[in-house]
Amino acid sequence: MHKILIINTGGTFNKKYNPISGDLEVDQEAEALDSLASKWLCKFNIINIIGKDSLEMTNHDRLELLATIHQSNNEKIIIVHGTDTMHLTAEYLADSDLEKQIVLTGAMVPYSIDPVEATANFASACGYLECLQKEGIYIAMNGLVGPYEKIIKERQKGRFVLKNIT
Amino acid sequence: MHKILIINTGGTFNKKYNPISGDLEVDQEAEALDSLASKWLCKFNIINIIGKDSLEMTNHDRLELLATIHQSNNEKIIIVHGTDTMHLTAEYLADSDLEKQIVLTGAMVPYSIDPVEATANFASACGYLECLQKEGIYIAMNGLVGPYEKIIKERQKGRFVLKNIT
Amino acid sequence: MHKILIINTGGTFNKKYNPISGDLEVDQEAEALDSLASKWLCKFNIINIIGKDSLEMTNHDRLELLATIHQSNNEKIIIVHGTDTMHLTAEYLADSDLEKQIVLTGAMVPYSIDPVEATANFASACGYLECLQKEGIYIAMNGLVGPYEKIIKERQKGRFVLKNIT
Amino acid sequence: MHKILIINTGGTFNKKYNPISGDLEVDQEAEALDSLASKWLCKFNIINIIGKDSLEMTNHDRLELLATIHQSNNEKIIIVHGTDTMHLTAEYLADSDLEKQIVLTGAMVPYSIDPVEATANFASACGYLECLQKEGIYIAMNGLVGPYEKIIKERQKGRFVLKNIT
């Protein structure tokens, strides 16, 4: 099996209910991926950075993400990312001419509220990356996985769809 | 995206607690995959056959599975199967010279008890199959996905591992 | 067994994640109590009114609650209520000289995120009310159940405690 | 609030899925009540004894239960018990002329599979016991709570019902 690096940047995937504030907040402990690894009976190689809702992600944050990718020896990388700006980050990485295979994934529903969608998105990214042989930036969401240009969030429906299917 | 056929044969993946008998039983309604599709915000093409614990699967059942595969037009197939005889069925299908890409998957913990492992196994099979270009019989379990000869159940540990790792 | 009327006014007990907005909202369908009744294998007699976060509850809403209580023939009533102004409503009802046995309950964590605390609060109210023989206004939260003056929300800790314990 | 002693004897309430054997087994660690206390934001005073499916409970086990009750200083006791012989144990305790208030409770569905019914049964026992002033043996199951003679398991329906209601 290939060694995959997971870069966890936050987003809805990692949100957790805070009973004191009554709000959902990005879990800075990033327990979601640890729970997933433990229940899936496998180990992940995880780096936690940024820890934000993707609407609050700045250019500085994307620079930090890029630096983290550059510093790693892994060819195969999964980025856990908020869904609202996933496409923006995908384009940013595509413009950076990385000689890596990178799959972005995330969730519409926090793992801590219902783990099914988050788990399925993430695991489909793992399976795809295991088989992948071509460098590039990919997205894995809601049963779709492929080059990032083809898969896009449809906000009204609250899920990712294939682009330009009529 | 490729059209994937899912053949659901039962196994632990589909087990459900029966409060009257106090036992876990293979759910003949096969609600697990329907729940997964609904929460993953996508649609599956599912055929439910056999509906057994894999220890009770007979040669007649495997013949039914083979016939179902032959009758389908899909090149890409996921088989949800009990873990105890998953390898036996994989060998049986490998001997049948099918010109198809087939991934067997299942679960150590029923989806209805805790959906995380079942969901992750299944979704990693989906991601792998989406990218796959070579015919053959594969297994996706516990973060591992690849040719069936390389991935095997380790009964004492209760999970699948890479073969011949010492 | 006594016939208990449940008046559901909303609050965190009934909050549900909306994947489109990314927010928790009071579920106007009030599915939480229906789910609880179905899993507890019993039937509830429920009236849904107001449907608000308790911080947004107005005097007009409390008047509606009072009218609903007056109109009912039940002597024993459970009110599901948000926790932030539960005490305010308890005082308001206490000042209304109702000849009823009323227990207010709610949750710090939405039933839809984790059902345990919401279920336990509600069921402890049911058990208390079943045995109760004295009119008055009571609160059941976090393992405590008794006259409303004695049980109060401690905001920093995010739970209800006995008053005047030092 | 009154000090309640919880005597946990096992039963379905405490059953847990064992992925190695594929069976449900009474959890000897008794994590269910610890989880319930932690999520309900309160503390329980628990003694774990016997740890069996109630169909396997012997006269010797009931003697141990009786001895545990005699040794405690608590007037108010909850016994978590399997549902199949809950009535047998209730009668046994009723014949023992204990000067205590004792509520037996349990679950049709293990807390670890779905916590709602187990939690609701247990919490209704807590609420009832808090208000109770009369010695005796009681049962709290499926929304019913009262003297043990009145509440009985209906095996075909898989739930407890009021006796002799026609």
Side-chain angles (χ1 to χ4, degrees), chain A residues 1 39-42 108 111 114-117 119-121 123-124 127-128 130-132 142-145 158-159 162, chain B residues 1 39-42 108 111 114-117 119-121 123-124 127-128 130-132 142-145 158-159 162:
Chain A
M1 298 294 119
K39 293 184 173 186
W40 204 9
L41 309 173
C42 62
M108 305 303 296
Y111 178 93
D114 188 324
V116 170
E117 189 231 353
T119 296
N121 290 335
S124 69
Y128 192 78
E130 182 59 41
C131 188
L132 195 64
N142 304 137
L144 305 173
V145 47
R159 61 184 174 91
L162 284 178
Chain B
M1 299 292 118
K39 292 183 174 188
W40 204 9
L41 309 175
C42 62
M108 305 302 296
Y111 178 92
D114 188 325
V116 170
E117 189 231 354
T119 296
N121 290 335
S124 69
Y128 192 78
E130 182 59 42
C131 188
L132 196 64
N142 304 136
L144 304 173
V145 47
R159 61 184 174 92
L162 284 178

Side-chain angles (χ1 to χ4, degrees), chain B residues 66-137:
Chain B
L66 193 60
T68 307
I69 294 168
H70 276 304
Q71 281 160 22
S72 87
N73 297 321
N74 299 72
E75 264 189 296
K76 291 175 181 280
I77 295 173
I78 290 175
I79 299 173
V80 175
H81 197 285
T83 61
D84 281 320
T85 67
M86 190 182 282
H87 227 263
L88 217 65
T89 298
E91 278 171 7
Y92 176 85
L93 296 177
D95 290 345
S96 305
D97 291 320
L98 297 160
E99 298 184 345
K100 309 247 183 198
Q101 302 163 14
I102 296 177
V103 186
L104 289 99
T105 192
M108 305 302 296
V109 175
Y111 178 92
S112 67
I113 291 186
D114 188 325
V116 170
E117 189 231 354
T119 296
N121 290 335
F122 182 85
S124 69
C126 292
Y128 192 78
L129 205 44
E130 182 59 42
C131 188
L132 196 64
Q133 289 178 319
K134 207 176 145 195
E135 291 164 6
I137 312 297

Side-chain angles (χ1 to χ4, degrees), chain C residues 8-20:
Chain C
N8 182 24
T9 71
T12 296
F13 193 103
N14 293 281
K15 282 192 182 164
K16 213 177 150 182
Y17 182 68
N18 177 340
I20 311 289

